[in-house]
């Protein structure tokens, strides 16, 4: 019977939840944003313009693969093995190849967006190598063997490269393969990196043509510079081997952080052994050429990429790792090598000097304390040269799982806003806090910032049209990141998102400090496009929509913030931003971190600080119109408080620090008054809920007066002002503000939620009604509405359930388990929208969007398209003319198919499709106007195998003609040489005869 009396106690006559029952509540799992676990690897496909991200298996989620395209295109691929993590990802034409930590090879189709096949090789796979022009994936094994997996036939090919290092060291029974890379210009050569050294394998000769073993002799410092080991010969283990973009040199990285350059064409000599700071580290007594290096423990070489500009002779080396652990900055190291000396005319000394002194060497900046463990170049268009041809940007992977985007080669940071998918912005850097507000559809469509940006990195894929919700307000999500950046975007309702762009705010620049920028609270007024941001350092910053007067140039040096007063910060804007959310004013209260902030839509903003102060700012000035402490609220506390008394000791009452935990503006009529007022409700951590009146004075400004302070039983989590007659929100909206001029009255009530109870009463001091929770605590709550049928209070509780309560009776309508989707430990960070949509954390860097007014639907697989069949892969680069003239035997991809797959391997699916396309094109050309109609008819009627047979016959005839031509050329050359010899002999005889005649006087 208690719930029947609560409505009368609260002064609400109507049942605002009359149309709601438990059958309307069911969970729809709508979407995921972010990455479910720690990022482990990255891969980029320039032809399709797609980015793949692999994750590790952890307590927060299994290992998965995310493939991102332009705008909101995202596809999630599951791993077939439970408990596996993604170790390496590589794109290969229309497939995505994944190597897992359980040593399985998983092949995914970009067109079908699903797993095609999974294979477990006989042994442990330690390296993977693919090429977009080949149907094979080369697998480096722990035993030292190299296997070939047929991606078309979905099984191992009969081809196998045995462990070649035994030719160098017969005692080395096992030397695991650590890296594989095909020659950038000659697909017939494979660079195999063993733990003990490197080898170049020729498919044509079926043997190793060159071996490379790094030896540090006695007296040489080596890469680590350890003097204790200087008197012994060392053979540092190899970690990676890469080709020069032209294939004339290779670079090997070693465990002692040595970078060793080798010649590949002549004698395979070592040209230079160096580290990031020292040179000639493998030469005893040679000048080191030190550039600031010191004897200290160095990071391992995580990743090496030898990139090429548009001209492959102009190169740069990008290195992750290898720096000293004592170095102040541990970013990416870039060697801009410049143009490679001409191999045929340059001396060995020129090559040594080239690798010893790069054209430019610098460190690409990364966040302080961050460790780069991986990198992914973003090529402009070509997938060749091991993904390093003419890159425009770099995506660096940090040890924490975060990612960082930099320009290439300048190394300037690239904002992921409107460059990468919103899911990737949640790990760029990690998201700390989220909040949500609503804005009208038309208003949000107009909030599109103008910012200078480089070329788009992700342009692939095509979105599937979804249903439209044109008449609903949009939920605008605000994500706060570890570097102080705030991004705002529309997560949607599982519908078509019309405005897919993101808004970005640089809070550090607005505050005037880039060190330890820690945002604690945000509040957005959607209709006025104003945002309030609270800082842990005690500042309150207001952003509003506007234009940047200093767009394109650095703003003047900011003036220092004024303590306890407002500071104009309109000039603290990013130079790249032309129009968007601009810093407006800043309040430096210096009373501890901001604990609560609320931006109203009528020009007022309130903030609470940990020191206990409350500040109200009128943005019409702007001016601070109220500043007081929450401790002053207790002086006028009523005796009828329902708050439990604070225990006291013999020494006197215990004093607890008090601060504001929740703020809310409303327009309603207070108890005992006959007019409506602008009200500010302040809830504290000790359970006080103060109501302040904001009234105009004779000077035209506004003043703030305390109206009452009822006390609740615990910390105030949520405050919702409602219209007691209709249930509509009684917040301080622009329409309600305008209605005050006509004397409009709002019969309002306050609904307040604490961790242990719900309270509903008429402000400012009425007792009202309440409901207590006995066996669970509430972590987050808000009022929701189901269409036009009624309102309810939805809360997330510590037992993993979402409970709905009726208004005003506070009767439990239903209880639904959500802990199988959301992380219970972060229920307090979840946000509940008025439409029943809940956004909460599932892990450190993933958000889930669910709807409590659903039908029980599970997460729907993405219907977006990834693969574009019209995007053609450019031809693979070939060997140079000089290499061809000097006798290099060039092997085509077709030849490699024959060498690896054997003569009995049927044509691959790609070959068949290509043949069909060629046949279709030939038929169209024949119908368009072939001169010989009979020949065309006969060719159009032939079958596929007849066509293949005819193609082989024609190719054989052409090869025979080419052979005959070469024979004729050889015969002609021989005849010409014979004629030359005859002519020379005749001239010699004539000369001898002339001498004899002259001697005898003839």
């Amino acid at each position: 019977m208690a719930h029947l009396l609560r409505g009368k106690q609260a002064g609400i006559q109507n049942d605002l939840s009359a149309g709601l029952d438990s059958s309307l509540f069911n969970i729809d799992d709508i979407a995921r944003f972010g990455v479910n676990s720690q990022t482990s690897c990255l891969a980029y496909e320039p032809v399709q313009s797609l980015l793949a991200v692999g994750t590790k298996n952890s307590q927060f989620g299994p290992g998965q693969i995310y493939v991102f395209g332009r705008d909101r295109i995202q596809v999630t691929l599951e791993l077939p093995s439970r408990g596996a993590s993604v170790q390496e990802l590589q794109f290969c034409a229309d497939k995505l190849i994944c190597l897992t930590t359980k040593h399985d090879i998983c092949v995914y189709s970009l067109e079908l967006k699903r797993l095609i096949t999974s294979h477990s090789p006989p042994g442990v796979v330690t390296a993977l190598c693919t090429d977009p022009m080949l149907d094979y994936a080369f697998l480096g094994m722990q035993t030292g063997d190299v296997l070939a997996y047929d991606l078309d036939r979905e099984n191992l090919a009969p081809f196998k490269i045995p462990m070649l290092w035994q030719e160098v060291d017969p005692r080395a029974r096992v030397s695991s393969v650590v890296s594989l890379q095909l020659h950038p210009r000659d697909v017939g050569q494979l660079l195999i990196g063993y733990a003990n050294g490197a080898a170049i394998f020729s498919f044509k000769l079926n043997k190793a043509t060159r071996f490379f073993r790094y030896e540090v002799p006695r007296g040489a410092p080596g890469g680590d510079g350890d003097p204790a080991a200087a008197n012994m010969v060392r053979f540092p283990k190899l970690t990676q081997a890469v080709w020069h973009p032209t294939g004339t040199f290779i670079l090997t990285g070693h465990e002692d952080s040595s970078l060793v350059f080798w010649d590949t064409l002549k004698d395979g000599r070592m040209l230079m052994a160096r580290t990031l700071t020292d040179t000639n580290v493998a030469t005893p007594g040679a000048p080191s050429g030190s550039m600031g290096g010191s004897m200290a423990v160095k990071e391992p070489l995580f990743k090496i990429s030898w990139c090429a500009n548009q001209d492959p002779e102009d190169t740069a080396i990008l290195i992750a790792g290898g720096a000293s652990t004592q170095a102040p900055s541990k970013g990416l190291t870039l060697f801009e090598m410049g143009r490679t000396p001409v191999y045929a005319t340059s001396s060995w000394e020129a090559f040594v000097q080239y690798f010893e002194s790069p054209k430019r060497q610098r460190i690409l900046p990364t966040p302080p304390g961050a460790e780069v463990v991986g990198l992914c170049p973003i090529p402009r268009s070509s997938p060749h040269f091991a993904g390093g041809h003419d890159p425009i940007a770099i995506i660096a992977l940090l040890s924490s799982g975060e990612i960082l985007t930099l320009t290439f080669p300048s190394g300037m940071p690239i904002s992921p806003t409107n460059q990468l998918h919103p899911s990737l912005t949640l790990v760029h850097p990690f998201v700390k806090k989220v909040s949500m507000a609503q804005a009208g559809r038309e208003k949000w469509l107009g909030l599109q910032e103008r910012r200078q940006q480089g070329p788009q990195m992700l342009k692939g894929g095509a979105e599937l049209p979804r249903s439209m919700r044109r008449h609903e307000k949009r939920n605008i999500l605000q994500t706060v990141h570890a570097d102080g950046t705030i991004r705002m975007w529309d997560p949607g309702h599982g519908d078509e998102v019309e405005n897919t762009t993101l808004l970005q705010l640089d809070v550090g620049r607005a505050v005037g400090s880039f060190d330890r920028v820690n945002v604690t609270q945000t509040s957005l007024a959607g209709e006025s496009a104003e945002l309030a941001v609270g800082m842990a350092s005690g500042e309150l910053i207001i952003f509003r929509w506007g234009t940047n007067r200093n767009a394109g140039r650095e703003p003047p040096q900011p003036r220092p913030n004024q303590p306890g007063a407002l500071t104009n910060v309109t000039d603290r804007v990013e130079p790249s931003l032309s129009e968007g959310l601009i810093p407006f004013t800043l309040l430096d209260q210096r009373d501890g971190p901001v604990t609560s902030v609320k931006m109203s839509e009528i020009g007022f903003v309130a903030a609470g600080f940990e020191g206990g102060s409350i500040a109200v700012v009128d943005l019409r000035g702007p001016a601070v119109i109220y500043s007081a402490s929450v401790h002053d609220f207790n002086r006028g506390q009523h005796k009828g408080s329902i708050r439990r008394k604070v225990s006291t000791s013999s020494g006197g009452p215990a004093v607890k620090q008090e601060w504001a935990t929740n703020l809310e503006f409303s327009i309603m009529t207070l108890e005992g008054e006959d007019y409506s007022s602008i009200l500010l409700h302040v809830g504290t951590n000790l359970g006080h809920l103060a109501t302040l009146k904001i009234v105009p004075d004779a000077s035209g400004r506004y003043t703030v007066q305390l109206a009452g302070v009822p006390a609740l039983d615990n910390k105030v989590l949520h405050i919702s002002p409602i219209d007691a007659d209709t249930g509509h929100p009684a917040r301080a909206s622009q329409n309600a503000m305008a209605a005050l001029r006509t004397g409009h009255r709002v019969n309002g009530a306050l609904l307040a939620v604490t961790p242990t109870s719900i309270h509903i009463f008429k402000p400012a001091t009425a007792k009202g009604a309440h409901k207590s929770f006995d066996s669970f605590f509430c972590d987050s709550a808000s009022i929701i509405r189901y269409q036009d049928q009624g309102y309810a209070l939805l809360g997330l509780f510590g037992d993993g359930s979402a409970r709905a309560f009726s208004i005003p009776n506070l009767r439990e309508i239903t209880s639904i388990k959500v802990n199988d989707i959301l992380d219970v430990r972060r229920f307090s960070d979840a946000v509940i929208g008025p439409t029943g949509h809940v956004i909460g954390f599932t892990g450190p860097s993933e958000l889930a969007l669910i709807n409590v007014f659903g039908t029980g639907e599970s997460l729907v697989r993405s219907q977006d398209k990834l693969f574009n069949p019209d995007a053609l892969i450019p031809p693979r680069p070939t060997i140079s003319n000089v290499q061809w003239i000097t006798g290099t035997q060039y092997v085509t991809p077709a030849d490699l198919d024959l060498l690896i797959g054997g003569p009995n391997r049927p044509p691959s699916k790609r070959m068949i499709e290509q043949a069909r396309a060629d046949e279709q094109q030939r038929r169209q050309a024949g119908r368009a106007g072939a001169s010989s109609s009979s020949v065309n008819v006969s060719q159009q009627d032939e079958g596929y195998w007849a066509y293949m047979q005819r193609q082989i016959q024609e190719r054989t005839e052409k090869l025979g003609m080419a052979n005959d031509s070469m024979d004729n050329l050889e015969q002609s050359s021989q005849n010409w040489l014979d004629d030359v010899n005859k002519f020379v002999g005749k001239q010699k005889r004539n000369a001898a005869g002339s001498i004899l005649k002259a001697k005898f006087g003839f």
Side-chain angles (χ1 to χ4, degrees):
M1 296 294 294
H3 64 273
L4 299 178
L5 301 176
R6 292 191 181 109
K8 295 182 179 180
Q9 292 174 350
I12 301 177
Q13 306 301 323
N14 301 328
D15 185 1
L16 306 179
S17 306
L20 303 182
D21 56 48
S22 60
S23 63
L24 298 176
F25 292 84
N26 216 332
I27 298 296
D28 273 355
D29 196 351
I30 299 177
R32 293 285 189 278
F33 302 101
V35 178
N36 70 327
S37 186
Q38 185 178 5
T39 305
S40 60
C41 59
L42 304 166
Y44 180 74
E45 215 294 314
V47 176
Q48 298 293 332
S49 191
L50 300 173
L51 178 67
V53 177
T55 65
K56 297 180 180 179
N57 179 65
S58 68
Q59 59 177 331
F60 304 106
Q64 290 181 340
I65 302 173
Y66 299 88
V67 183
F68 299 101
R70 60 183 178 88
D71 297 335
R72 299 293 178 88
I73 296 176
Q74 173 182 346
V75 172
T76 304
L77 305 173
E78 306 289 340
L79 296 183
S81 302
R82 184 181 297 244
S85 303
V86 180
Q87 180 175 334
E88 189 171 356
L89 289 172
Q90 292 187 17
F91 284 96
C92 184
D94 61 339
K95 300 179 180 67
L96 177 63
I97 317 302
C98 170
L99 173 61
T100 70
T101 53
K102 292 192 174 183
H103 315 294
D104 294 334
I105 300 298
C106 304
V107 182
Y108 297 87
S109 170
L110 296 178
E111 185 174 8
L112 303 177
K113 298 174 299 182
R114 63 175 177 83
L115 178 70
I116 299 177
T117 183
S118 176
H119 179 76
S120 297
V124 177
V125 182
T126 55
L128 173 67
C129 177
T130 60
D131 189 276
M133 306 303 293
L134 298 178
D135 289 323
Y136 299 94
F138 297 99
L139 311 179
M141 309 301 292
Q142 192 178 41
T143 58
D145 299 334
V146 177
L147 308 180
Y149 181 77
D150 194 332
L151 300 175
D152 182 74
R153 299 300 161 186
E154 301 176 4
N155 55 19
L156 284 176
F159 180 82
K160 177 182 177 182
I161 303 176
M163 206 272 283
L164 302 174
W165 197 251
Q166 285 184 335
E167 300 180 25
V168 179
D169 185 4
R171 295 176 298 177
R173 295 184 177 180
V174 175
S175 183
S176 60
V177 179
V178 296
S179 70
L180 292 171
Q181 186 176 337
L182 287 166
H183 192 291
R185 290 181 175 272
D186 184 4
V187 76
Q189 297 186 61
L190 178 66
L191 177 61
I192 306 175
Y194 297 99
N196 297 328
I200 297 178
F201 177 80
S202 172
F203 291 97
K204 184 76 172 180
L205 303 177
N206 195 26
K207 68 176 184 178
T209 59
R210 196 82 67 188
F211 289 97
F212 308 92
R213 188 178 191 181
Y214 178 44
E215 177 182 347
V216 182
R218 290 184 179 93
D224 51 9
D226 186 5
N231 295 325
M232 63 180 69
V233 179
R234 287 150 287 165
F235 298 93
K237 297 291 186 181
L238 185 143
T239 58
Q240 190 177 353
V242 296
W243 287 98
H244 182 279
T246 61
T248 52
F249 309 100
I250 67 166
L251 168 61
T252 57
H254 298 267
E255 282 186 349
D256 65 344
S257 301
S258 295
L259 300 168
V260 188
F261 298 88
W262 308 83
D263 170 64
T264 63
L265 296 184
K266 291 184 179 179
D267 53 6
R269 70 175 64 186
M270 183 178 69
L271 298 172
M272 172 57 61
R274 60 168 302 158
T275 63
L276 299 184
T277 55
D278 302 318
T279 59
N280 297 305
V281 296
T283 305
S288 64
S290 177
M291 295 174 287
S294 61
M295 193 196 72
V297 178
K298 294 183 173 62
E299 295 178 326
L301 294 170
F302 296 110
K303 182 75 173 180
I304 302 174
S305 179
W306 204 331
C307 304
N309 292 326
Q310 192 67 37
D311 181 7
E313 297 285 351
D314 187 6
T315 69
I317 304 174
L318 196 60
I319 305 167
S324 170
T325 54
Q326 300 177 0
S329 179
K330 302 175 184 177
L332 290 167
T333 303
L334 179 67
F335 288 166
E336 291 189 43
M337 305 303 296
R339 188 167 184 83
T340 308
V342 179
Y343 189 87
T345 60
S346 300
S347 63
W348 294 121
E349 290 76 12
F351 291 124
V352 171
Q353 181 65 25
Y354 174 72
F355 294 120
E356 181 180 4
S357 302
K359 180 180 178 182
R360 188 179 182 187
Q361 176 181 347
R362 53 202 175 96
I363 297 177
L364 307 186
T366 55
E371 184 181 49
V372 180
V373 297
L375 59 93
C376 177
I378 308 297
R380 194 178 302 272
S381 59
S382 172
H384 305 301
F385 297 102
H389 185 219
D390 194 20
I392 60 174
I394 305 160
I395 301 181
L397 175 62
L398 307 183
S399 58
S400 60
E402 298 170 292
I403 62 173
L404 183 68
T405 49
L406 303 170
T407 59
F408 185 88
S410 61
M412 299 299 295
I414 300 176
S415 171
T417 304
N418 299 321
Q419 278 281 6
L420 302 178
H421 192 280
S423 291
L424 291 177
T425 65
L426 300 186
V427 292
H428 194 303
F430 281 139
V431 60
K432 292 176 49 183
K433 182 180 177 61
V434 297
S435 56
M436 190 164 59
Q438 283 201 318
R441 171 179 170 268
E442 293 79 8
K443 182 70 176 180
W444 176 245
L445 286 176
L447 297 181
Q448 299 190 31
E449 67 179 18
R450 291 191 290 118
R451 183 185 299 269
Q452 296 177 359
Q453 281 190 328
Q456 290 291 321
M457 289 188 285
L458 301 181
K459 297 177 288 186
E463 288 185 283
L464 185 72
R466 296 177 174 86
S467 60
M468 302 285 291
R469 295 191 179 188
R470 295 184 179 274
H471 305 293
E472 286 192 7
K473 290 187 174 183
R474 308 303 300 182
N475 293 329
I476 309 304
L477 192 67
Q478 305 133 56
T479 59
V480 179
H481 298 263
D483 61 349
T485 303
I486 299 177
R487 297 186 177 96
M488 300 165 50
W489 44 284
D490 181 6
H493 308 85
D495 59 346
E496 184 77 17
V497 179
E498 297 176 284
N499 182 7
T500 59
T501 60
L502 284 75
L503 306 180
Q504 176 178 302
L505 290 81
D506 189 348
V507 179
R509 185 182 292 269
V511 175
S513 173
F514 295 96
D515 297 331
R516 299 179 181 178
V517 181
N518 186 4
V519 177
T520 57
Q521 300 290 331
T522 62
S523 178
L524 172 68
E527 296 303 325
S528 59
E530 294 171 328
L531 179 72
V533 179
M535 307 294 297
S537 52
E539 294 92 352
L540 171 69
I541 312 106
I542 312 300
F543 293 81
R544 62 168 39 171
W545 195 264
T547 57
N548 182 12
R549 295 174 296 179
N550 298 317
R553 62 181 185 272
E554 283 291 336
Q557 189 68 22
R559 294 170 295 177
N561 301 332
Q562 303 177 18
L566 294 176
T567 303
N568 186 358
V569 292
T570 54
D571 56 346
R572 300 180 184 179
V573 193
E574 301 172 80
S576 60
L577 182 64
S578 301
E579 180 182 2
L581 284 170
I582 306 295
F584 175 59
T585 188
L586 179 146
L587 174 63
D588 189 1
Q589 188 75 358
R590 299 197 176 181
D591 192 28
V594 177
T595 57
S596 182
V597 66
K598 182 62 181 180
M599 171 66 74
S600 72
E601 296 179 356
I602 57 175
F604 298 102
V605 60
F609 301 86
E610 195 173 90
S613 62
I614 297 290
V616 180
V617 180
D618 184 359
L619 298 181
R620 294 164 183 80
V624 179
I625 61 174
Y626 182 76
S627 181
S629 175
V630 294
H631 301 96
D632 300 334
F633 298 162
N634 300 333
R635 298 173 183 174
Q637 182 176 331
H638 287 261
K639 296 182 180 180
S641 170
I642 60 175
R643 178 180 175 272
R644 301 187 185 113
K645 302 297 182 181
V646 178
S647 62
T648 60
S649 62
S650 60
V655 179
K656 290 187 176 181
Q657 185 70 21
E658 187 174 14
W659 59 81
T661 57
N662 199 274
L663 300 169
E664 187 63 59
F665 287 94
S666 70
I667 294 180
M668 64 174 65
T669 303
L670 291 176
E671 186 180 19
E673 295 183 354
D674 58 354
Y675 60 91
S676 295
S677 306
I678 303 174
L679 306 178
L680 171 62
H681 309 283
V682 182
T684 71
N685 63 315
L686 298 183
H688 292 104
L689 205 165
T691 298
L692 306 175
K693 288 179 61 176
I694 303 177
V695 295
D697 61 7
S699 64
R701 301 182 64 181
Y702 286 86
T703 59
V704 180
Q705 305 170 0
L706 179 63
V709 190
L712 310 182
D713 59 347
N714 210 325
K715 177 180 72 173
V716 179
L717 293 177
H718 177 74
I719 302 172
S720 286
I722 61 173
D723 189 326
D725 299 328
T726 63
H728 297 331
R731 293 188 176 91
S733 64
Q734 296 175 356
N735 293 333
M737 181 74 171
L740 290 178
R741 301 178 180 179
T742 62
H744 179 69
R745 296 176 56 185
V746 178
N747 179 25
L750 274 186
L751 193 148
V753 183
T754 71
T756 56
S757 61
I758 308 173
H759 300 262
I760 184 168
F761 59 92
K762 293 184 67 65
T765 59
K767 193 178 226 183
H770 77 283
K771 177 182 178 64
S772 299
F773 312 128
D774 297 329
S775 57
F776 39 77
F777 291 97
C778 181
D779 295 319
S780 180
S782 185
I783 292 181
I784 59 175
R785 181 185 185 185
Y786 179 70
Q787 298 179 0
D788 294 328
Q789 298 188 27
Y791 294 85
L793 176 71
L794 181 68
L796 300 179
F797 292 84
D799 62 346
S801 299
R803 290 180 172 85
F805 299 91
S806 63
I807 303 175
N809 299 328
L810 304 182
R811 173 179 54 86
E812 182 177 319
I813 301 175
T814 188
S815 175
I816 311 173
K817 284 289 184 181
V818 293
N819 56 354
D820 56 337
I821 301 176
L822 304 180
D823 187 357
V824 180
R825 294 166 294 185
R826 301 201 65 176
F827 270 4
S828 58
D829 296 325
V831 290
I832 303 173
T835 57
H837 291 84
V838 180
I839 291 184
F841 285 88
T842 65
S845 56
E846 186 182 43
L847 299 172
L849 173 62
I850 63 175
N851 183 16
V852 297
F853 294 125
T855 58
E857 294 184 2
S858 58
L859 190 63
V860 179
R861 185 169 174 263
S862 175
Q863 300 299 316
D864 297 332
K865 294 183 178 180
L866 293 176
F867 185 70
N868 179 16
D870 297 330
L872 302 179
I873 302 175
R876 199 178 196 277
T878 60
I879 59 176
S880 63
N881 294 334
V882 176
Q883 291 174 309
W884 182 79
I885 292 174
T886 56
T888 302
Q889 294 181 340
Y890 176 65
V891 178
T892 65
D895 297 333
L896 199 61
D897 282 339
L898 183 62
L899 293 173
I900 297 176
N904 298 325
R905 179 179 183 266
S908 66
K909 298 176 183 177
R910 186 193 301 186
M911 295 172 60
I912 294 175
E913 291 177 358
Q914 183 66 35
R916 288 176 178 173
D918 294 342
E919 183 180 8
Q920 184 178 5
Q921 183 177 5
R922 180 182 53 78
R923 289 180 178 179
Q924 292 177 355
R927 287 193 295 266
S931 58
S932 177
S933 59
S934 59
V935 174
N936 290 336
V937 171
S938 63
Q939 291 182 355
Q940 291 175 5
D941 293 337
E942 68 181 351
Y944 170 70
W945 294 110
Y947 165 74
M948 291 293 293
Q949 184 177 3
R950 184 174 57 81
Q951 291 290 324
I952 294 174
Q953 183 178 359
E954 291 180 0
R955 181 181 180 185
T956 305
E957 293 175 356
K958 291 179 180 179
L959 289 176
M961 292 173 62
N963 190 24
D964 294 341
S965 299
M966 295 301 296
D967 293 340
N968 294 335
L969 178 61
E970 182 181 2
Q971 185 65 35
S972 301
S973 301
Q974 186 64 38
N975 295 337
W976 178 79
L977 183 60
D978 293 341
D979 293 339
V980 170
N981 292 333
K982 291 179 181 179
F983 175 76
V984 172
K986 183 178 179 181
Q987 292 299 322
K988 287 181 179 179
R989 289 193 299 271
N990 293 336
S994 300
I995 294 173
L996 292 174
K997 290 179 181 179
K999 185 175 182 180
F1000 289 101
F1002 294 113

